[in-house]
Structure formats: C-alpha cells, structure tokens
Amino acid sequence: MINIDEEFRSLIPPLTEAEYKILEEGVLKEGCREPLTIWNNIILDGHHRYKICTEHNIPFKTQEIELSSREEAKVWIINNQLGRRSIPDFVKFELVYKKKKILLEMGREKMAEAGKMGREIQLGGLSTIDKPPESHDTREEIAKELGWSTGKVAQAEIVWKKAPEEIKEKLRKNDMTIHKVYAEIKKKDREEQLEEEKQKAIETVNSLPHSDRYRIIVGDMAVVELKEQFDFIISDPPYPYEYLSLYETLAKRSKEWLKKSGLLIVMCGQSYLDEIFGIMTKYVNYYWICAYLTPGKPNPLRKRNVNTSWKPVLVFGNDNYKGKTFGDVFKSDSAEKTLHEWQQSESGMMSIVKQFCRPGQSILDPFCGTGTTGVAALKNNCIFTGIEIDEKVAALAKRRLAND
C-alpha cells in the first residue's frame, strides 16, 4: 500500500497546468518509464505520475530507499527537486531555506544527544566535556548553494517573512521578481516608520506649552548669537539691490546655524539672481532651485520688460541631506500685504514648509518680518525661531504667533 504524506508533498513545487498536461500525455503514450521513489511505503518522488497512473490504470514500478528519519526524507525530497527541475528563483530559495532549517534542527538534536551521552560519561567518572555546537551562517550557506549573493538571499528572506501569500504565489509562478517585491516591502516599511515618527513628533510638540514652540528674537541677524543649530533655515530677505549684502551675511551665518544635514532655503527676486547666486555659493553649496508661483496677474518688471509670475527659491545644503523628497514648485493662493509691504502669504509659506519639513523639526527665519514662516511652521507642528531687526514688526510677529 503506497501512501501520500501531505507534509512531504508540500515540499514539491506544483506543476503548472501546461507542465502537468505534457507529463500526462507522455505517460499515456509511453507508460510510466521511471519508478516511483518510496520510503516506508510513502512516496518521496513521483506524486504526479502516481496520480496519472492511478486515474488511468497504468502500471508503474517503485524503488525503495533507506533513510533513518522523516527529516532525512524531507532533505532527500528537496535535493531531488533542486537537481531535477527548472524552477523559479523564489521556489529554489524556499526549498533551500527549508532544507537548512531542517539540517540545523537535526544538528541541534544530535548535539543534544551527544551532550546527554557526555554527561552520562562524566557521571561514570570520566572527564569528557561537551563540545558546543558549531555556529552556522545560514544565509551564507544558502547563498553558496544557490549561487547567489548574500544580499539577494537577505532580500528573499524578507520577502518570505513579510510578503502576503498571494504575492508569494506570483513569485512561485515567476510572475514577479524577488527584488521588485523586496523594494515594495521596504518602501511600505519606510512609509510606516515615517508615519510612526511623524505621530510621535506631533505628540511631543503638542505636549509643549504653545509659548515654547516658538520665539522671536529682536536684533540684527548679522550679530545675533544662537547656541543651537536648526534643521532648516527658511527666509525671504529684501530684494532691492541695496540689500544684496544681506545674502552674503545670511550665507556666512548659516554655516553656524544650520545642521550638517539641513537645508538653507532662500526666496529671492530674479533681477539680481546671478549676483545673489555668486555671493552665496562662496560660503554654501548649491543644492537645487525651485519656483514659487505668485498669485494674480503677472508682475511687470519695467527695467527688464518682463511680466513675471514666479520667483526663485534657492536651496543650499550638503549631500548629507536625507530628509523628505520635495517638489520644486510652490504656490501662493493669494497676495497678503495687510501687515507689511513685503509680507508673504500663509498659503505660499505653508507650501514651502510642508514640502521640506517634518513635524518636530526646527526652523529658523533670520528675516522673520511679521512671522508668516512661523505661522506655517506651527501649523506643521514644527518648532520656530525668528529674528527681526525692527522691534515694532517683531512685536507684531509675537502677537500673531501667540494667537495662532
């Protein structure tokens, strides 16, 4: 009586419909040419041929092999499958991974038995000492057997542990690649991690009194001393030609104020963009340039005969920046000049802050003005510091942020 063991059969990759049909046609035409391999009357190899033969009353032969345990039988099945069939990478990995786990468990059992015998000998008066089991680098062994890199094996392990069963089925059918699924898993893990960090940061910021989430310093940004460094410097210096020197001062001071992984984000006009760029890059590294779309009708620049609808936002920083992937177009929904002639809109500054900053991060605006950058920072659950040289304007910013 030949038996089918479901655990053994589960180790055998199923044939596709096309493969099964080809096998069935061959057996019907030529008979069952290869004997079924059995152990203790259990089929180890030939499950598909056995099914075809029994359904069509076709005679078959068997060959018995000697194995000492079910574990050895499982290893034999896996080795047999790996040696006989062209199978997808993920299936190969699953087979070898299962085999290594079985062999490790067999090794532990043998060491446990050897340890038991050693202790029994010690009790008999001899000085035999149990040897600890040898360490195994399963990933290295799997990589060697498959002819893969350890990196690819590591990816397959993560896919095997984390991918939904329907995705694994696609991998087993070669409809997807291990690398693609791994990349999707890592992306999802990263998104979940960032969301968790975001919620923790929001909780931390919300636990602070409102007055501790911002501060306005009255003074000249050229001489103000700050002890801490910031994740971002986001500012909108004056645009007229007589203020160009402020861009140089800002670039110099940002080397003190900005974290190595931070960014300096500076709004400016176009008329003297070449000079501003040349001034600032003497001290800070260019990272990117973005566009800030201004609302309403285009603004006429008579000296250049240009009607402009945007202004540059220069981004400076180092390759150490590992923050958010940001878009490079920002938009202001409306012009807001009720508090100051150089005031920027909340919607425009929110567009910038949201693109770059995560909750809990710190923002410095050395040209704080009426505090619009601070409003955007607080609404984004960031910590804000502003510097304003005009005492009356600074007082306005303080009142505005206090009521935000």
Side-chain angles (χ1 to χ4, degrees):
M1 178 66 179
I2 295 178
N3 297 311
I4 302 292
D5 186 292
E6 291 301 328
E7 186 181 15
F8 288 176
R9 182 159 65 176
S10 69
L11 297 172
I12 299 172
L15 298 176
T16 64
E17 290 184 11
E19 289 173 332
Y20 186 85
K21 186 176 181 181
I22 292 171
L23 177 63
E24 185 177 35
E25 289 173 352
V27 173
L28 291 174
K29 182 179 179 180
E30 302 177 7
C32 189
R33 295 185 299 174
E34 295 184 24
L36 311 183
T37 302
I38 61 174
W39 169 73
N40 286 352
N41 291 325
I42 302 173
I43 295 180
L44 300 186
D45 179 54
H47 291 81
H48 299 106
R49 285 176 284 130
Y50 177 72
K51 180 181 178 183
I52 295 168
C53 290
T54 53
E55 286 179 353
H56 298 281
N57 294 316
I58 297 173
F60 58 86
K61 295 180 180 180
T62 63
Q63 62 179 8
E64 180 88 18
I65 62 172
E66 293 185 5
L67 299 167
S68 62
S69 65
R70 286 182 62 84
E71 285 68 31
E72 283 193 16
K74 293 175 191 176
V75 172
W76 187 94
I77 292 170
I78 292 172
N79 285 336
N80 186 59
Q81 291 299 314
L82 289 170
R84 295 184 60 183
R85 291 179 56 191
S86 176
I87 50 182
D89 278 356
F90 188 68
V91 176
K92 290 180 183 177
F93 167 79
E94 285 189 304
L95 290 173
V96 176
Y97 190 77
K98 289 175 183 177
K99 182 174 79 170
K100 293 304 179 186
K101 294 297 183 184
I102 293 167
L103 291 173
L104 281 173
E105 187 58 34
M106 290 171 65
R108 291 189 190 100
E109 290 176 358
K110 288 181 179 179
M111 289 305 304
E113 184 63 27
K116 180 180 178 182
M117 291 176 62
R119 285 189 292 273
E120 289 176 351
I121 293 173
Q122 281 184 319
L123 291 172
L126 299 178
S127 59
T128 302
I129 300 175
D130 297 345
K131 293 182 179 180
E134 295 181 5
S135 61
H136 292 268
D137 189 339
T138 303
R139 184 175 296 170
E140 188 77 34
E141 292 177 358
I142 292 174
K144 184 176 181 180
E145 181 159 351
L146 290 173
W148 294 359
S149 67
T150 53
K152 183 175 179 179
V153 172
Q155 290 183 5
E157 285 179 353
I158 290 173
V159 170
W160 190 77
K161 292 174 182 177
K162 292 190 173 185
E165 192 58 35
E166 60 267 23
I167 298 298
K168 292 180 183 178
E169 281 301 315
K170 290 184 179 181
L171 286 164
R172 292 171 186 132
K173 295 176 182 177
N174 231 8
D175 292 340
M176 299 182 77
T177 64
I178 291 172
H179 179 72
K180 181 179 179 180
V181 176
Y182 169 79
E184 290 175 353
I185 289 173
K186 295 301 290 182
K187 180 182 177 182
K188 183 179 178 182
D189 287 348
R190 179 59 178 161
E191 289 172 350
E192 290 176 351
Q193 179 187 353
L194 289 175
E195 182 60 28
E196 183 179 350
E197 291 174 356
K198 175 183 174 181
Q199 293 305 319
K200 287 182 179 179
I202 290 174
E203 290 174 7
T204 300
V205 172
N206 287 339
S207 68
L208 296 173
H210 184 77
S211 58
D212 289 348
R213 302 180 197 178
Y214 71 93
R215 60 174 172 160
I216 303 296
I217 300 170
V218 180
D220 185 346
M221 56 85 65
V223 296
V224 166
E225 294 298 327
L226 299 174
K227 294 181 179 179
E228 72 270 39
Q229 291 185 314
F230 300 85
D231 295 301
F232 297 95
I233 299 175
I234 302 176
S235 201
D236 181 27
Y239 301 163
Y241 187 81
E242 59 266 29
Y243 294 109
L244 284 187
S245 61
L246 294 178
Y247 289 87
E248 181 168 18
T249 305
L250 175 61
K252 286 181 179 178
R253 302 234 57 190
S254 69
K255 295 172 71 69
E256 306 170 38
W257 293 336
L258 194 64
K259 294 179 181 178
K260 289 184 178 179
S261 59
L263 294 179
L264 167 61
I265 301 162
V266 185
M267 193 179 293
C268 65
Q270 288 113 316
S271 297
Y272 314 109
L273 179 59
D274 57 337
E275 294 185 59
I276 291 171
F277 190 81
I279 289 170
M280 297 193 72
T281 51
K282 289 191 295 184
Y283 306 97
V284 290
N285 297 324
Y286 165 75
Y287 194 90
W288 203 250
I289 185 169
C290 307
Y292 180 94
L293 306 183
T294 52
K297 295 180 180 180
N299 181 37
L301 298 179
R302 303 303 183 195
K303 292 182 179 179
R304 301 296 179 99
N305 291 328
V306 175
N307 289 327
T308 180
S309 298
W310 73 285
K311 62 181 69 177
V313 178
L314 304 179
V315 182
F316 301 93
N318 299 313
D319 292 337
N320 296 323
Y321 175 71
K322 303 298 181 185
K324 293 174 68 174
T325 300
F326 57 87
D328 57 5
V329 177
F330 315 117
K331 183 180 180 182
S332 172
D333 295 330
S334 62
E336 298 174 11
K337 305 295 182 182
T338 57
L339 300 176
H340 196 281
E341 60 176 322
W342 292 341
Q343 179 184 347
Q344 295 295 341
S345 68
E346 288 185 20
S347 62
M349 296 313 295
M350 277 296 294
S351 179
I352 294 175
V353 169
K354 278 189 173 182
Q355 286 276 12
F356 287 99
C357 309
R358 295 193 175 103
Q361 291 188 307
S362 56
I363 300 173
L364 169 68
D365 184 352
F367 298 94
C368 175
T370 59
T372 306
T373 304
V375 171
L378 295 183
K379 287 185 175 180
N380 199 54
N381 292 290
C382 294
I383 306 298
F384 177 73
T385 297
I387 302 173
E388 173 53 45
I389 194 169
D390 188 316
E391 189 172 350
K392 291 182 179 180
V393 176
L396 181 59
K398 288 179 182 179
R399 289 196 299 272
R400 190 178 177 194
L401 295 180
N403 295 325
D404 187 70

